[in-house]
Amino acid sequence: MSDDDQKAQRHKAVMQKQKTKVDARIAEAQQEQGIALLLTGNGKGKSSSAFGMVMRALGYGQKVGVVQFIKGEQLSGEELYVRDHCPQVTFYQMGTGFTWNTQDRSGDIAAAERTWAQAEAMLKDPAYQLVVVDELTYMIAYKYLDEEKVLEVIKNRPSEQSVVVTGRGGGSALQELMDTVSEVKDVKHAFRAGIKARKGVDY
Ligand code: ATP
Ligand code: MG
């Protein structure tokens, strides 16, 4: 047997072993239920990942809700696209600027509560198979929303409904509750090298 043949055989054996392991794990996961996902961390990619899941859900004709806290003045590409092309998506935005621009705590709290009411309605409606609550973590961190109430609603949502929460931080209680928690690490960001935020990439 040549060296190449031996390598190929070894590779095949390793892959077979790997496949057996993966197949066993797939067979073990028997629970059918919606998934609660937290995308957090200081790196770029949280909200855009959530919109990736919106696309996935839409591919299967699912009804989707998106609620965005902390909206910048800048429109985003996802907002423009969803508004024009995705009638199955209910899109709601807090509608105020960034909190560090508004500098109005009581106004921000009222806006946060109004916005949460929209999210809560979706999180109680089994017609929605996916609900994205974008930048929710800041509302909890600033105590604009009552953490316990928010967690209760997420916990008691319809069993087939998935929810994606995004934002930095989020706290240990939220992390505990969610089924999947991913932290996007900030290794480097173009902005810090003086490169301007870009359409289609950053917004
Ligand atoms: P995206 O919406 O691009 O997935 P994100 O949701 O992970 O980003 P946010 O904190 O919501 O991050 O910030 C959104 C905007 O800020 C985007 O334009 C993004 O490129 C930029 N941004 C995200 N992380 C960083 C960072 N570490 N340094 C500088 N700018 C950042
Ligand atoms: Mg974001």
Side-chain angles (χ1 to χ4, degrees), residues 2-88:
S2 74
D3 275 2
D4 281 353
D5 286 346
Q6 273 182 3
K7 253 193 208 161
Q9 218 172 42
R10 272 203 304 273
H11 178 79
K12 196 172 172 199
V14 169
M15 286 301 145
Q16 256 166 1
K17 215 168 150 185
Q18 186 66 18
K19 182 172 165 20
T20 310
K21 272 196 213 161
V22 172
D23 287 350
R25 269 195 233 123
I26 291 171
E28 265 170 39
Q30 288 294 339
Q31 236 163 298
E32 272 291 355
Q33 62 172 68
I35 291 169
L37 186 82
L38 172 65
L39 300 171
T40 189
N42 296 335
K44 174 195 162 27
K46 301 173 290 293
S47 299
S48 40
S49 167
F51 279 96
M53 275 172 273
V54 169
M55 252 186 90
R56 284 187 170 169
L58 292 177
Y60 292 105
Q62 296 182 2
K63 188 171 165 67
V64 174
V66 178
V67 174
Q68 287 190 313
F69 289 89
I70 307 188
K71 180 201 173 304
E73 263 113 68
Q74 183 70 59
L75 276 169
S76 64
E78 60 268 26
E79 187 182 336
L80 292 168
Y81 187 80
V82 162
R83 288 243 154 106
D84 286 353
H85 301 286
C86 306
Q88 328 78 305

Side-chain angles (χ1 to χ4, degrees), residues 33-36 123 128-131 157-158 160-164:
Q33 62 172 68
I35 291 169
L123 290 164
Y128 288 97
Q129 280 144 302
L130 178 69
V131 178
R157 73 191 192 283
E160 292 289 318
Q161 184 186 83
S162 292
V163 58
V164 183

Side-chain angles (χ1 to χ4, degrees), residues 42-48 135 168 186 189 192 201-202:
N42 296 335
K44 174 195 162 27
K46 301 173 290 293
S47 299
S48 40
E135 323 296 352
R168 295 175 192 204
D186 180 27
H189 193 287
R192 290 200 294 280
V201 174
D202 292 296

Side-chain angles (χ1 to χ4, degrees), residues 96-140:
T96 55
F98 285 100
T99 46
W100 42 94
N101 283 335
T102 59
Q103 296 167 6
D104 166 16
R105 187 170 164 85
S106 61
D108 281 350
I109 290 175
E113 281 171 349
R114 256 198 322 274
T115 309
W116 173 248
Q118 300 293 321
E120 187 173 355
M122 293 175 192
L123 290 164
K124 287 182 173 168
D125 181 351
Y128 288 97
Q129 280 144 302
L130 178 69
V131 178
V132 174
V133 197
D134 196 32
E135 323 296 352
L136 173 67
T137 57
Y138 304 99
M139 302 300 111
I140 297 171

